[in-house]
Amino acid sequence: KLAPGAEQEPGLDDATMTALDMTNPGAVIGTVSYMSPEQALGKDLDHRTDIYSLGVVLYEMITARRAFGGNTSAAIFDEILNRAPTAPVELNRKVPAELERIVNKALEKDVDLRYQSTSELRSDLKRLRRDSSADRATVTPPPVADGPGGRRVRLLGVAGALLVMVVAVILLKGLSGRDATSVDTTPDSGIDARATQASSRGPTIDVLPFTNASDDADQKYFSEGLTVDVVTELSRYHELTVIAHSSAETYEDRDVDIGKTGASPVTRYLLKGSVRKAGQQIRVSVQLSNSGDGRLVWGTNYERDLTVGNLFELQDELTQQVVNAIAGSYGALTRAELPSARRKPPGSLDSYDCVLRAYEYLHVHTSAKHLAARDCLERVAEADPDYADGKAWLAYLYAEENHHRWNERTDEYDALERAMELAAEAVRLDTANNVAHGVLALTHFASGDYERAKVEAYRTIDLNPNDTLWLTLLGYYLALQEDFEHSLPMVRKAIALDPHPPGWVPVVFFFDHYQHDRYEQALSELRGVDMGEDFLGPALVAATYGQLGRSGDAGPALDEMLALWSRPVGEIRGELIERHSMSVALADHLMEGLTKAGLEGVAETTAPENTVAD
């Protein structure tokens, strides 16, 4: 229903406009339970009716019950017009009194006593978030503009109204988690600090509000929003403890003295940044420092074109690049932490240091690195049995033990069975742990249960869609199953987020080229590939040369492969299918290439019973 005086939007013809304006004066249209009283009475409406409907949605979000219900429309109308909804706190004891007041004001039946603007409602929610010491801030939307192009900017204003709902979700998530993780505010520091985890759970990073360094005060919302997104994404990495600051004013327009931020004594790193806008260019500077000595760990600048149309896309892009440069197994934090872990004797390593050993193994696969990480995490599993990350990474290392036959103890246990048990236990300990789900996916791949593997793989990506480690690892295993439709975009995204991935990542693109008979392109992907001590690396080179009819060039790669492969040649195919989770078609294609390259002793075999042929 068009408001009185609304102008025809570009692109809508007269017939469409007539259809849109068909509602007769006094007619009632809409979902009854979410109508405002004035809408139910068929009165003229303005933006305050939407505030009322938003209040109904907020009420339902915090109570899991509709504000107004009934068996008939007449009964619902009666409640909307004449009755107050049940107090939210009676339905959810965790609802603070101030949030109940905000919702009640949005649901005020008298339109003049209701919130008169969404900005007023948003401000109250922001104050509540601050005073409740929740660990995330809201994004202030850009100002609504009129005139040419105003329709596009008004859409951003609508997004601002939707963000009010997001604030409520974030706030209540914080409240609902208080029983497990207490929240306290450090006096005079502007810090909203979550209770710090044990030191064995990895480093604590203190995120200061990104400052608005431009002359345009209206850009403050962008710097605030970028801070919120960075904190939110960093919080996905459960091995980190992230402390967010709620007050940007505390730090704006002056350099931050790292030693005087009011950060917790256990804080190891401090992240700060600034946003400067000049014309249609925006420059974001980011620095990660050691909070103890002020030493710069990592820093960079990002420069981007800025338009209204790509504003939120730009914020997302910058967030992803900053977070992936810092967090995860390939980020600056891991690189900074790993040397200290190496210097400690194995007997004194704490839980997170052992996880770092697993990260080191991820970069370069060698038997020695596998053994060091596995033995360390086995001690962690005994001393810290509720540490989900420790269980998950130990499961991964057992899966790798099965995968590569490294450091096997076949007389003591079945490595794959142990990997499956530990991965499932890690998921039970922390159902939102993407590492646990990722390792469970890998164990399903290894056991030949590819459908369950894919379900867990997609769940892993859903939990943290920008974690380059799992984008590459799961992309690799999906490629082994020739699921290039999903694997290639995942790995391309990982490389876009981290342009310097581990040396084995291009193998994913190799499989795609090789399986589609693009052997020259496949060979080019293998230049510079480092797969550590895995026999598969030189095997791929030799097979590709074989398919190109260049058996002479394949010779050195064949020799290297046989030096790393200590079992009968006739077992290679079964190894690729059973232990490397490779599809039957891909394994046969590689064996064909190796035969053309000059490999002798390759016998015809049938696929193992637990594999699924294409």
Side-chain angles (χ1 to χ4, degrees), residues 25-272:
V28 176
I29 285 185
T31 306
V32 176
S33 296
Y34 298 90
M35 285 184 180
S36 66
E38 60 270 27
Q39 186 177 5
L41 291 172
K43 295 182 178 180
D44 288 338
L45 308 177
D46 59 24
H47 65 278
R48 292 173 294 182
T49 191
D50 295 321
I51 293 175
Y52 183 95
S53 297
L54 176 57
V56 177
V57 173
L58 290 174
Y59 181 98
E60 188 170 344
M61 290 167 69
I62 64 177
T63 65
R65 182 182 298 182
R66 287 187 176 182
F68 306 105
N71 295 326
T72 65
S73 295
I76 297 174
F77 279 135
D78 178 64
E79 290 210 358
I80 291 172
L81 296 172
N82 303 311
R83 304 180 189 280
T86 302
V89 72
E90 293 183 21
L91 303 173
N92 180 0
R93 294 182 181 180
K94 293 180 180 179
V95 175
E98 176 61 10
L99 181 57
E100 181 169 321
R101 184 197 68 80
I102 292 171
V103 173
N104 286 340
K105 185 174 181 180
L107 292 175
E108 178 61 50
K109 298 184 188 301
D110 186 337
V111 68
D112 292 325
L113 298 178
R114 197 179 302 158
Y115 281 107
Q116 300 299 293
S117 69
T118 53
S119 61
E120 182 185 357
L121 173 56
R122 182 182 66 240
S123 295
D124 279 358
L125 284 170
K126 288 182 70 175
R127 278 191 289 270
L128 172 60
R129 188 209 57 77
R130 179 196 63 197
D131 296 339
S132 300
S133 298
D135 60 1
R136 292 178 176 87
T138 71
V139 180
T140 305
V144 178
D146 293 322
R151 180 175 182 266
R152 193 175 208 180
V153 181
R154 283 197 298 273
L155 290 176
L156 297 181
V158 174
L162 293 176
L163 283 169
V164 176
M165 290 188 285
V166 176
V167 174
V169 174
I170 292 171
L171 172 62
L172 288 169
K173 283 178 68 178
L175 290 170
S176 64
R178 279 185 175 178
D179 293 341
T181 306
S182 62
V183 181
D184 61 78
T185 303
T186 304
D188 303 322
S189 69
I191 300 175
D192 293 336
R194 293 182 298 179
T196 57
Q197 300 171 353
S199 60
S200 65
R201 294 298 193 264
T204 299
I205 181 170
D206 192 0
V207 183
L208 299 183
F210 283 33
T211 59
N212 176 25
S214 66
D215 297 330
D216 186 357
D218 289 337
Q219 291 302 314
K220 179 180 175 182
Y221 78 92
F222 185 86
S223 58
E224 289 181 349
L226 185 59
T227 307
V228 174
D229 282 356
V230 167
V231 169
T232 301
E233 291 302 312
L234 282 175
S235 297
R236 291 177 182 264
Y237 293 85
H238 36 80
E239 65 267 32
L240 303 178
T241 299
V242 184
I243 297 177
H245 292 255
S246 62
S247 175
E249 288 78 6
T250 306
Y251 304 98
E252 281 187 345
D253 303 323
R254 64 182 177 86
D255 292 332
V256 176
D257 183 342
I258 293 174
K260 298 179 179 179
T261 60
S264 166
V266 300
T267 298
R268 197 175 304 177
Y269 297 101
L270 185 138
L271 181 70
K272 64 177 181 177

Side-chain angles (χ1 to χ4, degrees), residues 194 197-205 233-242 268 326-331 333-334 337 351-353 355-356 359 387 389-390 393 430 433-435 464 467 469-470:
R194 293 182 298 179
Q197 300 171 353
S199 60
S200 65
R201 294 298 193 264
T204 299
I205 181 170
E233 291 302 312
L234 282 175
S235 297
R236 291 177 182 264
Y237 293 85
H238 36 80
E239 65 267 32
L240 303 178
T241 299
V242 184
R268 197 175 304 177
I326 295 170
S329 64
Y330 310 135
L333 284 172
T334 300
E337 291 283 297
S351 300
Y352 182 67
D353 288 326
V355 169
L356 287 174
Y359 284 175
Y387 184 26
D389 274 28
W393 284 117
D430 186 355
N433 188 316
N434 69 309
V435 174
N464 192 345
D467 189 330
L469 165 65
W470 292 103

Side-chain angles (χ1 to χ4, degrees), residues 329 490 518:
S329 64
M490 288 167 63
R518 300 188 294 264

Side-chain angles (χ1 to χ4, degrees), residues 514-544:
Y514 186 91
Q515 200 62 354
H516 291 93
D517 302 333
R518 300 188 294 264
Y519 300 120
E520 290 289 356
Q521 295 97 315
L523 190 62
S524 67
E525 293 291 351
L526 294 178
R527 295 189 176 96
V529 163
D530 184 359
M531 297 192 70
E533 298 172 358
D534 191 337
F535 80 96
L536 183 61
L540 300 180
V541 175
T544 309

Side-chain angles (χ1 to χ4, degrees), residues 27 93 208 217 264 300 303 429 497:
R93 294 182 181 180
L208 299 183
S264 166
T300 192
E303 293 189 5
L429 285 171
L497 293 169

